[in-house]
Amino acid sequence: MSEQDRPVPAVAARGPRRVGVLLAVALTVLICDIVSKTVVVATLSNRAPVRLLGGLLTLRVSRNPGAAFSIGPSMTLIFTLIAASVIVVILRTSRRIRNLAWAITLGLLLGGATGNLIDRLARYPGPFLGYVVDWIQVPHWPVFNIADSCIVCGGVIAVLLAVRGVRIDGMSPGRRPPAAGGPGDPGSGDGPAPAQDGQGGGEAG
């Protein structure tokens, strides 16, 4: 069998684990979210919103009992449990991550979910019912925070990666071996049949 005809393995070699990248992205998001909320609460509480860039960006303190962009304000406990479940799933999945894009994506989701979960656990009115601090507002869009934006960006990127067939474990499909019974296979009937005794060579004299 020639080198050209040899079947290529079904999967390509996998790269190194990307757990460190995932945790680094998540930690960066978490630190930025906590610091920004702390500063905003300390400086903007009980004062008028700060308008910047001609009103394109407004900074204000908003307490959100619901999910991202003030969705479901009466379901605080449910969103708390969902955020905790997402964090657990991502941490369990992290052992299989070898794709860099997926590591960054899940890092954004992990950092954002953890940032808002901390608010749920530590802020008023109490554990598991705490209000999330939102402080960024742009025209025609609900107030949000850094954690919200990372969750949305991570979700969009995850959908794009899934649509393109990019796998978390870094494996990619290759050329499949020829199927049994294909052209040229002696058992398929498509190629020349093997010679039988007493046929194809003429009678012996």
Side-chain angles (χ1 to χ4, degrees):
M1 179 183 294
S2 66
E3 185 69 24
Q4 183 178 2
D5 294 332
R6 290 180 181 175
V8 176
V11 293
R14 297 187 294 177
R17 295 183 185 274
R18 303 291 186 175
V19 181
V21 175
L22 183 151
L23 295 179
V25 173
L27 184 60
T28 300
V29 171
L30 181 59
I31 291 175
C32 292
D33 186 62
I34 293 176
V35 171
S36 64
K37 289 174 179 176
T38 302
V39 172
V40 165
V41 169
T43 59
L44 296 182
S45 295
N46 302 319
R47 60 172 295 182
V50 178
R51 297 173 62 86
L52 303 173
L53 305 176
L56 181 62
L57 174 64
T58 302
L59 307 182
R60 61 188 304 169
V61 177
S62 175
R63 310 284 182 168
N64 176 19
F69 310 121
S70 301
I71 298 174
S74 62
M75 303 172 63
T76 305
L77 179 59
I78 294 177
F79 289 131
T80 302
L81 297 177
I82 291 175
S85 301
V86 169
I87 292 171
V88 171
V89 170
I90 293 176
L91 290 177
R92 294 189 62 180
T93 305
S94 65
R95 295 175 295 177
R96 300 189 294 112
I97 294 180
R98 294 179 182 270
N99 180 271
L100 180 59
W102 271 113
I104 295 174
T105 299
L106 294 184
L108 292 173
L109 293 172
L110 178 60
T114 305
N116 282 341
L117 180 61
I118 291 176
D119 281 5
R120 304 288 188 194
L121 298 176
R123 296 189 183 276
Y124 175 85
F128 298 98
L129 299 174
Y131 294 173
V132 173
V133 174
D134 292 333
W135 57 276
I136 306 171
Q137 185 175 25
V138 294
H140 312 295
W141 199 260
V143 186
F144 60 97
N145 56 44
I146 291 178
D148 292 338
S149 60
C150 290
I151 291 173
V152 172
C153 291
V156 171
I157 298 174
V159 171
L160 294 177
L161 292 175
V163 169
R164 295 185 59 186
V166 180
R167 295 179 47 152
I168 290 178
D169 56 11
M171 301 175 69
S172 58
R175 183 166 67 101
R176 294 183 178 180
D185 189 343
S188 66
D190 289 334
Q196 300 179 359
D197 293 339
Q199 296 182 1
E203 293 187 9

